């Protein structure tokens, strides 16, 4: 069923999963012990039903079909795996390392999205120190 959707809708679904996952992970400070797939899916479901323009473009009979839900679950898993397996850039690593030395911190990160979170966190800490 997912395969039969337009490329624009499929792309929008993928973007919404990516954005919501990264926002959800930031909300729990990328703490793996706090991660809950159920909570993430609930967050994503709320987003798609209240803010995603593409959701209303999918016919109700497709939305209700079990194979569509299976396809979505598979897509969610694929997107999460892609995010978690994308390594941080060399620039991110260098930037984080410099900031951690200045701040004497020891944050760890395993992927590009988590490195982005750490980089933003360290930037905020540096800005607070300068104020």
């Amino acid at each position: 069923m997912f395969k039969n959707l337009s490329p624009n809708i499929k792309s929008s679904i993928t973007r919404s999963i990516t954005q919501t996952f990264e926002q959800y992970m930031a909300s729990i400070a990328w703490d793996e012990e706090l991660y809950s797939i159920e909570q993430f899916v609930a967050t994503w479901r709320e987003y798609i039903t209240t803010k995603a323009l593409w959701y209303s473009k999918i016919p109700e009979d497709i939305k209700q079909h079990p194979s569509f839900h299976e396809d979505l679950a598979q897509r969610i898993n694929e997107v999460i795996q892609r995010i978690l397996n994308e390594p941080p850039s060399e620039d991110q690593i260098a930037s984080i390392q410099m900031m951690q030395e200045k701040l004497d911190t020891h944050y760890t990160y395993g992927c590009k999205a988590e490195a982005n979170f750490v980089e933003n966190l360290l930037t905020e800490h540096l800005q607070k120190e300068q104020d």
Side-chain angles (χ1 to χ4, degrees):
M1 296 230 134
F2 185 81
K3 296 173 193 158
N4 298 334
L5 297 174
S6 76
N8 287 341
I9 290 179
K10 288 190 279 191
S11 178
S12 294
I13 291 171
T14 299
R15 265 194 315 278
S16 70
I17 295 167
T18 301
Q19 291 171 341
T20 306
F21 181 74
E22 290 177 3
Q23 289 170 356
Y24 169 74
M25 292 304 291
S27 76
I28 61 169
W30 282 82
D31 186 334
E32 294 172 21
E33 291 182 24
L34 296 177
Y35 176 76
S36 162
I37 187 69
E38 294 83 9
Q39 184 61 48
F40 162 67
V41 170
T43 301
W44 182 68
R45 184 174 291 125
E46 179 182 339
Y47 170 81
I48 65 171
T49 57
T50 61
K51 297 178 184 162
L53 299 176
W54 58 264
Y55 189 72
S56 63
K57 295 178 183 174
I58 298 175
E60 285 301 317
D61 61 323
I62 291 177
K63 286 187 224 177
Q64 310 239 340
H65 202 280
S67 68
F68 180 69
H69 289 272
E70 290 171 16
D71 292 346
L72 277 179
Q74 181 179 345
R75 187 69 189 141
I76 288 169
N77 288 333
E78 290 168 357
V79 170
I80 290 172
Q81 283 304 312
R82 180 185 47 79
I83 292 168
L84 296 177
N85 289 319
E86 184 176 4
S89 70
E90 289 183 21
D91 288 344
Q92 282 180 307
I93 293 169
S95 173
I96 290 169
Q97 187 173 348
M98 283 182 9
M99 287 189 280
Q100 292 215 83
E101 287 173 8
K102 285 181 185 175
L103 294 167
D104 193 30
T105 59
H106 305 286
Y107 291 100
T108 59
Y109 49 93
C111 66
K112 187 173 187 164
E114 186 177 14
N116 189 47
F117 170 78
V118 170
E119 197 170 22
N120 290 335
L121 185 68
L122 293 171
T123 299
E124 287 177 22
H125 285 304
L126 282 173
Q127 288 174 346
K128 285 179 184 174
E129 274 193 2
Q130 292 174 355
D131 290 342

